[in-house]
Amino acid sequence: MTPEYPLTRDLVFVGGGHTHALVLRMWGMSPLHGARLTVINPGPTAPYSGMLPGFVAGHYDRDALDIDLVKLARFAGARVILGTVDRIDPVAKTVHVPGRPPIGYDICSVDVGITSEMPALPGFADHGTPAKPLGTFATRWAAYRDGNGPASVAVIGAGVAGVELALAMAFALKTRRRPAQVHLVEAATALSVLGAKPRARLLQAMAELNVTLHENARIDRVTATGLELAGGQVIEAGFVTGAAGTRPHGWIAGCGLDLQDGFIKVNARLQSSAPDVFATGDCAHMTHAPRPKAGVFAVRQAPVLLANLRAALAGTDWQDYQPQADYLKLISMGDKTALAEKQGLPLSGALMWRWKDWIDQRFMQKFRDLPVMKGPDLTKLRAKGDEALHKPLCTGCGSKVGRGALAAAVADLPRPRPDVTPLPGDDAALLVMGDTRQVLTTDHLSAVTADPALMARIAAVHALGDVWAMGAAPQAALAQIVLPRMSADLQQRTLSEIMAVAGEVMADAGAQIVGGHTTMGAGMTIGFSITGLLERDPITLAGARPGDALILTKPIGTGVVLAAEMAGQARGADVAACFANMSLAQGNAARILSQAHAMTDVTGFGLAGHLQGICAASGVGAEIAVDAIPVLPGARALSDSGVASSLYPDNRALVPGVIEEARTRLLFDPQTCGGLLAVVDAGQAAILKDKLKIAGYDAAIIGKITPDVGQVSIV
């Protein structure tokens, strides 16, 4: 993402709750230039709680619940940090996520919802599943629901949420024809927040679905087989969940903000006791107008929060949020019926379900139909040239210059020094100084993510790839960093994140960052020049022998996933998996493959292009078993739909002998932080693959070397 205006202020969203999701969508429609947005969330999606009972009952699939925060952030021009916040420091103005440097802010907004965890109830942490956060609950329930044999469920808490869950679970198990016992346990009176008529209708619905209600029942402990109640009664249950009340996340208590029962106190402007920290949704307590925890308030807070964030950042007018006195409650009843209640007047039936479903689907549709990034207007008068050049340029290795242009540019360079041996195709040189042998390499990447810390990790792992591929031990590194135009404060924050993570990656690899160079430019680019020490001759491209096996240490597909992410087409979960794959360092893999006959890291020229390089240098051919090649989640489907990196045509031209078809397209996909492609003795291949698997690599034997010089064939 290249900002059009200099960045001057940091706005950090902690959590991807409903209010924040709506604000991000509105921000994308009309951004505040100069503000850098950051969204921090434990995962790439944020579940919509309004559709949870429908999912539990089986009316919606899992994806229907999720707001894709990665796509939404791309639309809003925000960077995404996937991690769980454990502290906000309003004095230092930093947000803390374990495993990464602190994230600085000028303005911070918190929307993390609530939790249904019950730390005070013995055994619940070990044997129970809280209904919130929704992600873990949804996964565990789906696995239990789809099992076999008799089922037994216990729901703790008979408020509206607990009743909805119990009814949905009973209906789901009934439709799967599983004999089931569903228990709803309440320490006081069930549905005490409702009037007599709506309460009676829901009690009737529970009776119709054979949900057993236990009122005024105190639980002593949760066990592996169910619940033990005070007085000795035992309720057998294979799945125990909790929806008893609303609890704040524990880490909020350590932030130094004024709290009410653990929730962040906010005024009518949604500001906390620290004026530059806002809070909204269920994690906030409105001191000027206390209300129960309900999604309707979070949704209606969104335009006020947006206005006040703009006021804090740019000095525009402030707004006050005044919640309505009463609100419509739409309560699922297991099957496709629902109860509507307002001011004590209930209506129930299939029509109410359709009404609820329409409201929920309309809300989610706001995030499913985000505008896709538009390319340039090619109808305007322009100089003749390649139409492909007018498409958005990919990032990472997808933005690199093709191999042909690079080879031609360096072909005639002088070679005056006997102690310097260029290694064409290995992107490095061998330096010989007496008995010391050293490799020198450099690499840099245009940003594949707007998160400086994650980008630093990816760039460092990527640059180390050439050193590892040649069997060298990383030694020293120089950093080259280009930042987009930003204020001095943001420069300091950004460089601190980059250098902290880059230094960690290099230190883990055994190297030290000894200096570097920084400048500002059109967008963020991070690169490193690295030296490595050799105890033996380097592993190059020129050592493959007929009969050798080919091992690949990582799945392919980063180019197509990143291209799709730029266009807002990739699923957030697939993007997260791609980032995790790129972040995996390969020092251990290189040590396992230290006796390889030839090796390279698979990067910009794609798997087929890098294999062609080995064949050309070694005077051999190769045979690839396409179906054996590991592929990143989502990459094949995206490729089949026509998504391709901007470097794809150049890579395709490198290996003309391979027929282009659906199953071979990913062979030409440029990789960022791709795997090591190693040529090993065939008798050792299976052992080496197993060692790589144990070390955490998704490695595979993907083919063999043949005597057919220069020929790459597919099987």
Side-chain angles (χ1 to χ4, degrees):
M1 303 175 191
T2 302
E4 298 179 15
Y5 295 83
L7 300 172
T8 58
R9 306 289 300 279
D10 269 320
L11 169 58
V12 176
F13 287 164
V14 176
H18 304 348
T19 312
H20 278 177
L22 288 168
V23 169
L24 284 167
R25 190 182 190 282
M26 291 186 286
W27 191 285
M29 301 296 289
S30 179
L32 176 64
H33 300 299
R36 178 170 64 176
L37 269 66
T38 301
V39 183
I40 308 173
N41 198 67
T45 60
Y48 172 50
S49 57
M51 296 174 75
L52 177 64
F55 163 76
V56 171
H59 306 318
Y60 305 122
D61 61 25
R62 180 67 181 86
D63 288 343
L65 266 67
D66 286 335
I67 299 170
D68 194 319
L69 290 179
V70 175
K71 284 185 178 181
L72 183 58
R74 163 64 70 174
F75 173 69
R79 59 173 176 162
V80 177
I81 295 174
L82 300 181
T84 302
V85 171
D86 67 1
R87 184 165 63 93
I88 296 172
D89 185 338
V91 177
K93 300 182 72 168
T94 53
V95 178
H96 295 258
V97 176
R100 59 164 295 138
I103 301 112
Y105 67 82
D106 294 293
I107 300 296
C108 178
S109 182
V110 186
D111 185 12
V112 294
I114 54 178
T115 178
S116 297
E117 295 175 352
M118 300 179 182
L121 179 58
F124 186 84
D126 295 324
H127 307 296
T129 300
K132 290 187 178 183
L134 300 185
T136 301
F137 171 83
T139 301
R140 291 181 181 176
W141 166 248
Y144 186 79
R145 178 194 64 194
D146 296 338
N148 298 312
S152 54
V153 173
V155 179
I156 302 172
V160 170
V163 169
E164 282 190 300
L165 282 179
L167 289 170
M169 290 172 162
F171 179 80
L173 295 170
K174 178 182 177 181
T175 57
R176 282 162 175 72
R177 301 185 184 280
R178 292 184 64 186
Q181 292 288 327
V182 178
H183 298 269
L184 183 59
V185 185
E186 171 58 47
T189 301
L191 297 169
S192 57
V193 299
L194 297 181
K197 290 183 178 180
R199 180 177 186 274
R201 180 64 190 92
L202 289 174
L203 291 176
Q204 178 187 346
M206 285 190 283
E208 292 169 353
L209 283 171
N210 296 317
V211 175
T212 303
L213 176 62
H214 305 263
E215 293 183 287
N216 302 306
R218 185 170 62 83
I219 301 171
D220 278 348
R221 63 182 52 83
V222 180
T223 69
T225 57
L227 306 179
E228 293 182 4
L229 305 184
Q233 182 182 356
V234 174
I235 296 176
E236 293 185 359
F239 188 92
V240 176
T241 188
T246 57
R247 290 176 171 80
H249 292 277
W251 63 265
I252 293 176
C255 295
L257 302 172
D258 290 349
L259 306 179
Q260 175 70 45
D261 300 323
F263 300 99
I264 302 172
K265 286 184 176 181
V266 295
N267 60 23
R269 293 179 173 180
L270 305 178
Q271 287 174 298
S272 72
S273 55
D276 45 20
V277 177
F278 294 74
T280 186
D282 287 349
C283 70
H285 172 78
M286 295 181 288
T287 56
H288 67 293
R291 291 291 188 276
K293 304 300 180 185
V296 64
F297 300 120
V299 170
R300 295 191 180 187
Q301 285 171 342
V304 176
L305 178 64
L306 175 64
N308 291 341
L309 293 175
R310 289 177 179 273
L313 291 165
T316 54
D317 293 336
W318 293 86
Q319 293 184 15
D320 287 347
Y321 173 67
Q322 296 298 337
Q324 64 270 43
D326 194 12
Y327 61 97
L328 175 68
K329 303 175 185 69
L330 284 166
I331 303 168
S332 298
M333 296 167 63
D335 57 0
K336 289 189 176 181
T337 62
L339 174 83
E341 187 271 340
K342 188 173 183 180
Q343 296 180 343
L345 300 176
L347 292 172
S348 63
L351 181 61
M352 296 301 103
W353 163 264
R354 289 196 293 270
W355 187 18
K356 182 182 187 313
D357 178 62
W358 178 80
I359 292 173
D360 291 337
Q361 296 287 6
R362 185 180 63 169
F363 177 80
M364 291 299 290
Q365 202 64 31
K366 296 176 184 290
F367 309 106
R368 295 170 183 154
D369 291 337
L370 297 171
V372 178
M373 181 178 65
K374 295 181 180 180
D377 183 2
L378 298 184
T379 64
K380 294 181 178 180
L381 181 66
R382 67 187 189 283
K384 293 180 179 180
D386 189 347
E387 294 292 328
L389 295 176
H390 296 281
K391 295 180 180 179
L393 183 66
C394 289
T395 52
C397 279
S399 65
K400 290 194 172 183
V401 175
R403 172 177 277 177
L406 179 61
V410 302
D412 298 326
L413 292 177
R415 316 285 188 208
R417 295 187 62 96
D419 55 346
V420 178
T421 303
L423 300 174
D426 285 294
D427 301 326
L430 173 64
L431 312 179
V432 179
M433 295 160 283
D435 293 334
T436 301
R437 285 173 294 181
Q438 191 178 48
V439 295
L440 171 65
T441 184
T442 188
D443 216 326
H444 68 272
L445 294 173
S446 56
V448 301
T449 170
D451 176 6
L454 176 58
M455 189 60 225
R457 184 174 301 279
I458 290 170
V461 170
H462 181 78
L464 285 163
D466 287 322
V467 178
W468 284 324
M470 288 185 288
Q475 179 192 24
L478 291 169
Q480 301 103 37
I481 301 168
V482 180
L483 297 179
R485 290 184 299 160
M486 57 179 61
S487 67
D489 286 345
L490 267 65
Q491 288 178 36
Q492 188 274 325
R493 291 172 185 168
T494 305
L495 287 172
S496 293
E497 291 188 50
I498 290 172
M499 296 311 297
V501 173
E504 173 192 317
V505 174
M506 292 296 175
D508 288 345
Q512 179 179 343
I513 296 179
V514 295
H517 182 74
T518 61
T519 188
M520 284 194 286
M524 183 166 64
T525 299
I526 302 177
F528 299 92
S529 296
I530 304 175
T531 61
L533 295 174
L534 285 163
E535 295 182 355
R536 46 164 280 182
D537 290 335
I539 305 172
T540 68
L541 304 182
R545 300 177 296 207
D548 284 346
L550 290 166
I551 289 180
L552 181 66
T553 63
K554 283 186 179 184
I556 62 175
T558 63
V560 70
V561 173
L562 293 175
E565 193 277 329
M566 282 185 62
Q569 298 175 16
R571 295 175 66 248
D574 295 340
V575 175
C578 182
F579 286 154
N581 176 73
M582 290 190 289
S583 299
L584 179 62
Q586 298 201 92
N588 290 334
R591 283 185 281 273
I592 292 170
L593 297 168
S594 62
Q595 298 305 309
H597 299 159
M599 190 155 62
T600 186
D601 59 332
V602 180
T603 53
F605 303 134
L607 176 58
H610 284 280
L611 178 56
Q612 180 72 43
I614 289 177
C615 292
S618 301
V620 296
E623 185 178 274
I624 305 176
V626 175
D627 293 338
I629 299 172
V631 176
L632 285 170
R636 193 174 301 283
L638 289 167
S639 178
D640 290 345
S641 71
V643 176
S645 168
S646 53
L647 193 56
Y648 179 93
D650 285 330
N651 287 352
R652 175 69 189 85
L654 290 175
V655 195
V658 176
I659 298 174
E660 183 177 359
E661 55 186 6
R663 71 189 192 117
T664 63
R665 287 193 189 103
L666 288 176
L667 297 179
F668 313 110
D669 186 52
Q671 303 303 290
T672 302
C673 293
L676 295 175
L677 178 61
V679 180
V680 301
D681 183 272
Q684 295 295 309
I687 296 172
L688 293 171
K689 182 198 73 172
D690 290 343
K691 287 183 177 179
L692 289 165
K693 291 277 191 182
I694 292 171
Y697 298 95
D698 187 10
I701 300 171
I702 65 166
K704 63 182 181 181
I705 298 297
T706 68
D708 305 316
V709 178
Q711 181 177 336
V712 176
S713 59
I714 304 298
V715 296

